[in-house]
Amino acid sequence: MNIGITCYPTYGGSGAIATELGQVLAKKGHKVHFISYSVPFRLQEYNQNISFHDVEVMPYPLFKYPPYTLALSAKMAAVAEEADLDILHVHYAVPHATCAFLARHMLRDRDVKVITTLHGTDITLIGSDKSFFQITKFSIEESQGITAVSESLKSDTISTFGIKNDIRVIPNFVNTHRFNRKEERCDMKNIVTDDEKIILHVSNFRPVKRIADIIRMFVKVKPKIKSKLLLVGEGPERIPAQELAQDLGLRDSVVFLGQQEGVDNILSCADLYLLPSEQESFGLSALEAMSCEVPVIGTNVGGLPELIKHGETGYITEVGDVDKMALHAVDLLTDDTLRKTIGRQARQRVLDNFAEESVVPQYESYYEEVLNQ
Ligand code: GMT
């Protein structure tokens, strides 16, 4: 098949999944065309079946807001024409589903099918805001195929937008060979000592991630467990988090690593992963941690309980319950057998349900289904 993929190219789960999907599809012989404003951050391996189409927006003094969405729609239509696309698969509805709708209608003689994958805040935060509500609902309803990354997001989409179209749940996935615990890949000797445990969090540091809860939890764990908290990523909550760590006397034990490539290597060193978000339609970073046998403590929101089975592959707590998180953390970090058992069970759950080998074919069959509609 000839498949156009549009996603946000910057750090973030929706861009990561879109890119991994494109790379696997290309390895399987499909022709994949990424269409975005820069090369997706996870697009690293050369493959002759992959091309990238840059969306350029012409600057003009009249434009307070340069019209990226129009440039993207036009580029989608041009690529569909040139590359004979069968499918335009857009990740994150706002504004990509709308651009794809427009592109499809520009191509009067060609029936390119639009598939929209809903990822999270495109439904729960941005798309449901009144400024975007109507256009998001319209664009999703006009897609020939709709997928959501969890049952929870599917039901949020139905309850928020009253959408009657079929929504297919295809969960996020991980490359379990790359995200596999290999202790020899772990090189942290300049950051932690041999007897220190590593607690990890990776995100784009947005308010929804509740970074402050991680630090408030860590202040309870630190006196009981020799440990360091490693925070990977960049975003608006980084400075407030640094200030909080300093105020709580944790300056030397909370390490901000910034944006990092090779999170799989860092995960190979971690003893515990935290994701205390107030909203998380799936939690891709938790999946990657589980794939590396790292137990996860997450919250009872969105798709996290679909991923983390409480007491079996990690722990689920209520949002903001830092006492409970700290209790589970201390249990896991003091009991090596418990931690390793939960880590192994977490990986098994990933192998059974979220491995790229079993999820990508679900997209391929869905493509076929939409094409044959
Ligand atoms: O929706 C967002 O906040 C952005 C998006 C992203 O690009 O990182 O994250 C969402 O999509 C990810 C990939 O499907 C999911 O793993 C995240 O849970 C989801 N984020 C939220 O729901 C907050």
Side-chain angles (χ1 to χ4, degrees):
M1 275 178 259
N2 295 334
I3 304 155
I5 294 185
T6 288
C7 62
Y8 284 102
T10 46
Y11 288 87
S14 59
I17 280 297
T19 314
E20 299 287 354
L21 174 62
Q23 294 185 122
V24 180
L25 290 170
K27 275 191 202 138
K28 296 180 101 176
H30 300 285
K31 297 259 184 290
V32 175
H33 297 263
F34 285 98
I35 310 167
S36 191
Y37 60 83
S38 66
V39 178
F41 74 98
R42 283 238 180 141
L43 188 55
Q44 282 151 358
E45 276 173 36
Y46 169 75
N47 183 305
Q48 58 175 348
N49 288 334
I50 295 182
S51 13
F52 170 70
H53 305 265
D54 196 8
V55 179
E56 282 171 42
V57 188
M58 187 186 140
Y60 189 63
L62 200 59
F63 297 153
K64 181 172 174 197
Y65 304 107
Y68 172 69
T69 46
L70 294 186
L72 175 58
S73 309
K75 183 61 100 179
M76 283 174 167
V79 174
E81 192 94 62
E82 280 159 35
D84 200 13
L85 292 187
D86 300 299
I87 282 171
L88 265 173
H89 186 177
V90 298
H91 292 258
Y92 203 90
V94 183
H96 300 145
T98 313
C99 300
F101 169 82
L102 199 50
R104 175 176 155 82
H105 284 267
M106 287 164 71
L107 295 161
R108 295 210 167 88
D109 314 323
R110 177 180 302 280
D111 184 22
V112 62
K113 306 284 190 199
V114 173
I115 295 182
T116 299
T117 290
L118 310 171
H119 279 274
T121 50
D122 45 352
I123 297 303
T124 56
L125 201 74
I126 309 295
S128 51
D129 182 84
K130 71 176 183 325
S131 58
F132 288 117
F133 182 87
Q134 286 296 353
I135 196 162
T136 306
K137 175 174 160 62
F138 171 81
S139 310
I140 295 171
E141 285 173 337
E142 289 294 321
S143 303
Q144 285 65 57
I146 309 166
T147 77
V149 297
S150 62
E151 291 292 344
S152 146
L153 184 60
K154 173 177 173 172
S155 90
D156 283 345
T157 308
I158 294 169
S159 60
T160 308
F161 293 99
I163 285 176
K164 303 237 168 8
N165 313 41
D166 176 52
I167 300 177
R168 188 67 49 90
V169 175
I170 303 183
N172 285 337
F173 59 89
V174 63
N175 178 328
T176 54
H177 310 286
R178 178 149 46 96
F179 286 88
N180 186 9
R181 192 172 193 88
K182 295 197 188 91
E183 313 246 331
E184 68 277 9
R185 290 198 307 197
C186 170
D187 184 7
M188 287 273 166
K189 55 184 172 305
N190 293 340
I191 299 173
V192 288
T193 54
D194 282 348
D195 56 348
E196 279 179 323
K197 294 280 190 274
I198 297 178
I199 304 174
L200 182 67
H201 169 81
V202 183
S203 78
N204 46 14
F205 282 59
R206 281 174 301 141
V208 76
K209 302 290 175 186
R210 293 183 69 101
I211 308 288
D213 284 0
I214 298 179
I215 295 172
R216 291 190 197 286
M217 184 227 81
F218 184 60
V219 81
K220 294 172 190 288
V221 172
K222 178 77 192 153
K224 299 184 180 139
I225 310 279
K226 223 166 169 265
S227 53
K228 285 236 164 68
L229 171 62
L230 307 190
L231 298 173
V232 175
E234 284 294 345
E237 293 299 302
R238 175 170 171 164
I239 303 284
Q242 271 173 317
E243 286 167 0
L244 180 63
Q246 176 128 4
D247 293 348
L248 294 176
L250 298 170
R251 200 177 149 199
D252 296 329
S253 45
V254 180
V255 183
F256 290 82
L257 291 172
Q259 210 83 264
Q260 293 282 333
E261 297 299 334
V263 174
D264 42 332
N265 286 347
I266 303 177
L267 280 166
S268 274
C269 318
D271 297 292
L272 174 61
Y273 188 84
L274 299 176
L275 194 59
S277 310
E278 67 189 41
Q279 237 176 56
E280 205 66 73
S281 66
F282 185 89
L284 181 63
S285 67
L287 178 67
E288 292 174 342
M290 287 167 65
S291 189
C292 293
E293 296 178 39
V294 185
V296 178
I297 300 178
T299 35
N300 193 14
V301 294
L304 286 177
E306 293 171 43
L307 182 60
I308 305 162
K309 294 292 152 209
H310 183 72
E312 196 184 312
T313 63
Y315 292 99
I316 293 285
T317 61
E318 294 309 316
V319 174
D321 192 348
V322 291
D323 288 333
K324 217 17 127 18
M325 290 174 206
L327 275 176
H328 291 311
V330 170
D331 282 352
L332 283 165
L333 296 171
T334 42
D335 185 339
D336 284 354
T337 312
L338 174 70
R339 191 177 66 257
K340 286 184 178 152
T341 305
I342 297 230
R344 272 196 300 271
Q345 290 171 177
R347 176 153 171 96
Q348 194 55 52
R349 181 160 172 71
V350 176
L351 291 170
D352 293 343
N353 301 279
F354 305 101
E356 118 187 341
E357 291 84 347
S358 57
V359 177
V360 174
Q362 295 178 41
Y363 276 111
E364 289 177 287
S365 353
Y366 190 58
Y367 290 169
E368 296 285 0
E369 208 178 303
V370 170
L371 286 172
N372 293 326
Q373 257 169 26

